[in-house]
């Protein structure tokens, strides 16, 4: 995610913009910048790094002096973090800041190059700025209207024109943007914390409404240039709560962000109905040559890798190992030249995972990183990188990072199966179509989150808890168990259901809590038999099952049905109630959900 702030009034604009951007630092960023009117001239200062780097640059080189401007903190998606790639983008005529991703930017860039435009950055945002410049004939509204009709993707835009000093334009689609209302001053921002110091009153802009903001006035019109009447909202929370978007904890907020995170990660990587990873180094010829895959990661990322292993082996018939990074690096692994090592890390700085990457590179094999943080060590050092585009994840217990990592593993498996011709092209296209529908299914589960809260209340006093599953459900069970123990401090273990009779069942007595997952048709009857084994010994069972399966009520005390999708995608749905169950259990037990004891978000030591 990125941060947008705009200001017009009587105050020093640079001060207001930087102050507002600091309130958005939790969103994550790698560079920042401002564009400020000095008279009718637009002065731009931007810098790679933190806001301190921007302020230092302004103090040492040039600090624009004016009372109207736009500012931005960038979280890179297109182009590495750098001064040039930082926002704002534009020229002496127009300057913009942008949150979101433009999916057809390459097509638009090619058009502009044919028109004689040259580009400095690697960003999709610069294309928007130049498109506005191309269409601008003296009327900002008409230029903006024409541009947004050709853009595909998501955007929140703050725009200033040389010909209209002390005036800001704003428009959005699928990316948040608000207008703050002050006394003789007004604002735009991507989130409320940026403006709470100055005002609690704001407008919400609907999609493709175009706003004009001046010191004295805010005008909002639709695409027919008809005025739109707006209700004024008043924030009644403190800054800390506002940063959580009104959610009581970042973890819950991030659980509910998963549909959007999945869309942002998946949609740009499906072109013409087929997977397109967008990584030049992962050529078809290289993928065809891959004979074995090693997935290396830690914690939740490793569990995403376990799902990937299952999917890759099922669709591609390529031997795939999934190994804990700390074990991989010290096990003297057997790595051959035609192997591929996939490294998964949310932060891109996980110490053991980074060491495993370096070990693989020393062995001379190709390394592919799946990371969330642009410019991180793992991203820089890997031969290939796929960014998950999940946005910042603040809660220590990972949720949305896990689901987007899984989604990348699915896309990779689809691409590999397509190249190796182990699955028909038509079937791959159908898989891609189904994957794009997963966010809607996730929303269905989130809309009934109270069910998970109820189940949590039935298990909250447990001292120990067991998760059971077979195959891909066992891999999912491991993540569910980790999530629960991370934040609720309940001891829990995940077991392959078929292993019960080999020792584990001796621990099952009256009211021992068990969460069982059964979403795979070919394993369903076997899993139900295992569940019956624990229920007959008094276990209190919550069964999570595909809604299309017929289940006798006597099998489990509690039953949670998931929306029906192709069973290969069930982990993307099954993890949602597990996350919610862990969250509500921790809340009911009075635990610090976002900052569990002894844990850090990024493990940068061995």
């Amino acid at each position: 995610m990125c941060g947008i702030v705009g200001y017009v009034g009587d105050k020093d604009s640079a001060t207001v913009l930087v102050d507002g951007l600091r309130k958005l630092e939790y969103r994550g960023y790698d560079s920042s910048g401002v564009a400020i009117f000095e008279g009718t001239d637009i002065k731009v200062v931007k810098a790679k790094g933190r806001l301190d780097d921007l302020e230092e640059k302004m103090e040492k080189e040039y600090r624009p002096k004016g009372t109207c401007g736009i500012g931005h903190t960038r979280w890179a998606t297109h182009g590495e973090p750098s001064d040039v790639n930082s926002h704002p983008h534009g020229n002496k005529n127009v300057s913009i800041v942008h949150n979101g991703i433009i999916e057809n930017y390459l097509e638009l860039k090619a058009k502009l190059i044919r028109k004689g435009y040259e580009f400095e950055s690697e960003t999709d945002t610069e294309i928007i700025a130049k498109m506005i410049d191309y269409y601008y004939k003296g009327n900002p509204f008409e230029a903006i209207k024409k541009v947004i009709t050709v853009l595909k993707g998501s955007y929140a835009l703050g725009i200033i024109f040389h010909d209209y000093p002390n005036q800001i334009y704003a428009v959005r689609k699928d990316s948040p943007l608000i207008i703050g209302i002050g006394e003789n001053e007004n604002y735009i921002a991507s989130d409320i914390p940026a403006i709470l110091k100055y005002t609690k009153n704001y407008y919400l802009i609907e999609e493709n409404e175009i706003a004009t903001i001046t010191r004295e006035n805010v005008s909002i019109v639709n695409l027919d240039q008809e005025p739109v009447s707006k209700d004024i909202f008043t924030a009644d929370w403190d800054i800390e709560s506002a940063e959580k978007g009104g959610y009581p904890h970042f973890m819950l907020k991030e659980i509910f962000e998963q549909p959007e995170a999945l869309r942002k990660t998946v949609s740009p990587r499906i072109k013409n109905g087929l997977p397109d990873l967008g990584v030049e180094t992962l050529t078809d010829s290289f993928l065809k040559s891959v004979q074995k895959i090693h997935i290396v990661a830690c914690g939740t990322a490793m569990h995403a890798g376990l799902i990937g292993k299952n999917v890759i082996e099922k669709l591609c018939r390529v031997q795939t190992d999934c190994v804990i990074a700390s074990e991989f690096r010290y096990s003297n692994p057997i790595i051959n030249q035609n192997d591929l090592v996939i490294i998964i890390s949310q932060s891109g700085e996980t110490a053991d995972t980074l060491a495993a990457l370096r070990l693989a590179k020393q062995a001379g094999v190709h390394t592919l990183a799946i990371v969330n943080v642009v410019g991180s060590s793992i991203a820089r050092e890997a031969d290939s990188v796929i960014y998950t585009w999940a946005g910042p994840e603040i809660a220590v217990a990972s949720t949305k990072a896990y689901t987007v990592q899984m989604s990348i593993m699915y896309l990779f498996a689809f691409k590999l199966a397509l190249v190796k011709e182990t699955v028909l092209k038509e079937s791959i296209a159908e898989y891609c179509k189904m994957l794009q529908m997963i966010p809607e299914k996730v929303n269905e589960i989130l809309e009934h989150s109270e069910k998970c809260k109820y189940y949590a209340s039935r298990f909250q006093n447990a001292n120990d808890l067991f998760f059971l599953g077979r195959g891909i459900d066992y891999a999912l069970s491991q993540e569910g168990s980790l999530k629960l123990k991370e934040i609720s401090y309940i001891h829990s273990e995940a077991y392959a259901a078929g292993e019960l009779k080999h020792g584990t069942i001796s621990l099952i007595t009256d009211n021992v809590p068990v969460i069982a997952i059964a979403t795979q048709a070919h394993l369903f009857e076997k899993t139900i038999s295992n569940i019956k084994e624990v229920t007959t010994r008094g276990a209190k069972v919550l069964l999570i099952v595909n809604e299309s399966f017929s289940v006798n009520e006597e099998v489990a005390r509690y039953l949670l049905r998931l929306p029906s999708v192709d069973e290969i995608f069930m982990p993307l749905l099954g993890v949602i109630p597990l996350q919610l169950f862990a969250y509500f259990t921790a809340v009911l037990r009075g635990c610090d959900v976002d900052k569990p004891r002894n844990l850090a978000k990024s493990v940068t030591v061995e």
Side-chain angles (χ1 to χ4, degrees):
M1 279 189 188
C2 315
I4 287 176
V5 181
Y7 172 74
V8 54
D10 296 324
K11 296 183 178 72
D12 175 65
S13 189
T15 300
V16 175
L17 295 177
V18 172
D19 182 65
L21 292 173
R22 286 199 183 279
K23 300 300 188 297
L24 300 177
E25 285 189 292
Y26 70 93
R27 297 168 68 90
Y29 69 103
D30 48 57
S31 58
S32 59
V34 296
I36 295 172
F37 277 112
E38 281 193 352
T40 59
D41 292 335
I42 299 173
K43 302 295 185 181
V44 176
V45 182
K46 49 188 185 176
K48 174 185 173 182
R50 314 306 289 175
L51 283 164
D52 288 343
D53 297 306
L54 176 65
E55 287 205 287
E56 182 179 354
K57 188 172 184 178
M58 286 196 290
E59 293 302 321
K60 288 184 177 180
E61 298 181 15
Y62 184 75
R63 183 182 182 88
K65 297 177 177 61
T67 58
C68 177
I70 51 178
H72 192 264
T73 48
R74 175 179 185 255
W75 186 78
T77 56
H78 297 76
E80 65 181 6
S82 68
D83 288 4
V84 171
N85 287 331
S86 304
H87 298 207
H89 285 284
N91 53 29
K92 65 180 181 179
N93 297 319
V94 62
S95 185
I96 75 165
V97 290
H98 165 229
N99 287 353
I101 295 174
I102 304 305
E103 298 170 9
N104 62 335
Y105 79 101
L106 290 176
E107 171 190 333
L108 298 175
K109 184 175 183 178
K111 174 182 177 178
L112 289 167
I113 290 173
R114 291 194 297 270
K115 299 293 183 180
Y117 280 87
E118 296 180 355
F119 291 84
E120 299 176 352
S121 77
E122 302 168 274
T123 69
D124 55 344
T125 300
E126 188 179 4
I127 280 77
I128 306 173
K130 284 182 166 50
M131 288 293 294
I132 293 174
D133 181 73
Y134 172 71
Y135 283 120
Y136 179 64
K137 308 300 180 186
N139 186 321
F141 173 85
E142 290 298 330
I144 296 169
K145 178 180 176 180
K146 288 179 180 178
V147 169
I148 63 177
T149 58
V150 299
L151 294 180
K152 295 179 181 178
S154 62
Y155 51 81
L157 301 174
I159 311 163
I160 56 177
F161 292 85
H162 171 270
D163 295 342
Y164 293 83
N166 299 313
Q167 199 157 291
I168 301 171
Y169 294 84
V171 64
R172 62 167 290 271
K173 177 180 178 291
D174 295 332
S175 190
L177 196 64
I178 63 172
I179 300 173
I181 308 164
E183 294 185 9
N184 295 318
E185 58 185 16
N186 291 301
Y187 306 80
I188 64 169
S190 51
D191 208 349
I192 294 170
I195 61 173
L196 275 182
K197 180 178 178 180
Y198 305 101
T199 181
K200 290 189 174 184
N201 298 322
Y202 61 96
Y203 293 128
L204 295 176
I205 311 175
E206 299 302 326
E207 292 192 1
N208 294 332
E209 293 177 344
I210 299 175
T212 306
I213 300 100
T214 66
R215 176 179 176 274
E216 299 87 5
N217 186 53
V218 173
S219 170
I220 303 173
V221 298
N222 60 26
L223 293 184
D224 293 324
Q225 213 161 355
E226 298 167 338
V228 178
S229 178
K230 287 288 178 182
D231 293 329
I232 296 177
F233 290 82
T234 301
D236 58 359
W237 49 73
D238 58 23
I239 290 177
E240 182 179 359
S241 296
E243 289 177 348
K244 297 167 186 170
Y247 289 90
H249 298 95
F250 280 112
M251 183 180 177
L252 187 62
K253 176 175 180 284
E254 288 158 7
I255 290 172
F256 275 79
E257 286 177 339
Q258 287 176 112
E260 182 62 18
L262 285 166
R263 288 189 191 97
K264 288 182 176 179
T265 298
V266 171
S267 294
R269 295 183 168 105
I270 295 178
K271 306 283 179 65
N272 299 318
L274 293 172
D276 183 349
L277 301 176
V279 181
E280 293 182 359
T281 48
L282 295 180
T283 63
D284 287 1
S285 60
F286 167 73
L287 291 174
K288 282 182 181 179
S289 72
V290 172
Q291 296 179 359
K292 183 177 179 179
I293 296 172
H294 309 263
I295 301 174
V296 184
C298 301
T300 288
M302 191 272 292
H303 295 155
L306 286 172
I307 302 298
K309 165 187 163 63
N310 277 270
V311 177
I312 290 169
E313 290 189 336
K314 177 177 181 177
L315 298 183
C316 310
R317 308 309 297 161
V318 174
Q319 182 182 350
T320 303
D321 293 337
C322 184
V323 188
I324 298 169
S326 56
E327 292 295 313
F328 180 85
R329 63 183 293 197
Y330 291 117
S331 64
N332 191 22
I334 299 173
I335 312 174
N336 297 310
Q337 291 303 304
N338 287 330
D339 292 356
L340 170 66
V341 175
I342 299 177
I343 301 292
I344 309 177
S345 169
Q346 190 280 140
S347 67
E349 303 292 346
T350 311
D352 285 318
T353 310
L354 180 58
L357 165 68
R358 291 168 176 166
L359 178 64
K361 288 180 68 67
Q362 288 173 7
V365 299
H366 195 96
T367 55
L368 166 63
I370 299 174
V371 299
N372 195 37
V373 179
V374 175
S376 59
S377 297
I378 289 173
R380 292 195 308 270
E381 295 188 28
D383 299 306
S384 303
V385 59
I386 300 176
Y387 290 113
T388 52
W389 296 342
E393 189 179 63
I394 298 169
V396 169
S398 178
T399 53
K400 63 178 179 176
Y402 174 73
T403 51
V404 294
Q405 287 164 356
M406 278 198 291
S407 71
I408 292 294
M409 295 307 303
Y410 282 102
L411 287 169
F412 176 83
F414 299 161
K415 179 64 177 179
L416 187 62
L418 188 66
V419 168
K420 286 185 172 288
E421 299 180 343
T422 53
V423 178
L424 292 174
K425 181 178 179 180
E426 293 77 11
S427 297
I428 294 296
E430 187 62 25
Y431 279 134
C432 288
K433 184 178 179 180
M434 288 187 283
L435 183 58
Q436 288 179 298
M437 296 170 61
I438 292 297
E440 296 177 14
K441 300 291 185 179
V442 172
N443 263 329
E444 288 181 30
I445 299 171
L446 292 173
E447 288 172 359
H448 298 93
S449 61
E450 287 298 311
K451 288 184 180 179
C452 295
K453 186 175 183 178
Y454 168 75
Y455 296 135
S457 72
R458 303 296 90 189
F459 289 77
Q460 70 179 86
N461 295 319
N463 294 316
D464 304 278
L465 192 146
F466 297 99
F467 287 78
L468 300 177
R470 286 175 176 261
I472 205 166
D473 289 335
Y474 171 48
L476 180 57
S477 294
Q478 293 178 69
E479 174 60 13
S481 177
L482 174 62
K483 211 54 53 203
L484 183 67
K485 69 182 78 172
E486 273 184 309
I487 60 172
S488 75
Y489 315 141
I490 294 175
H491 169 253
S492 66
E493 298 296 338
Y495 288 96
E499 279 291 289
L500 278 172
K501 291 185 287 294
H502 296 276
T504 312
I505 202 166
S506 65
L507 299 174
I508 303 299
T509 56
D510 283 347
N511 287 317
V512 168
V514 173
I515 295 179
I517 305 172
T519 67
Q520 308 295 299
H522 70 291
L523 295 170
F524 181 68
E525 290 185 1
K526 296 292 185 183
T527 304
I528 293 300
S529 295
N530 298 139
I531 296 170
K532 288 179 179 179
E533 290 173 353
V534 298
T535 55
T536 58
R537 288 162 176 81
K540 180 171 65 174
V541 178
L542 166 61
L543 173 59
I544 299 175
V545 66
N546 189 320
E547 67 178 2
S548 64
F549 294 172
S550 176
V551 181
N552 190 308
E553 292 183 0
E554 297 178 357
V555 171
R557 191 175 306 185
Y558 307 106
L559 187 64
L560 194 156
R561 294 185 179 275
L562 299 173
S564 184
V565 296
D566 188 289
E567 64 182 36
I568 198 173
F569 296 111
M570 289 307 296
L572 283 167
L573 301 188
V575 73
I576 306 303
L578 297 181
Q579 294 170 347
L580 289 167
F581 179 87
Y583 169 79
F584 287 122
T585 301
V587 169
L588 291 168
R589 290 168 66 92
C591 301
D592 188 343
V593 174
D594 285 335
K595 299 177 182 178
R597 66 190 182 205
N598 303 330
L599 299 179
K601 185 61 183 171
S602 178
V603 183
T604 56
V605 294
E606 184 177 345

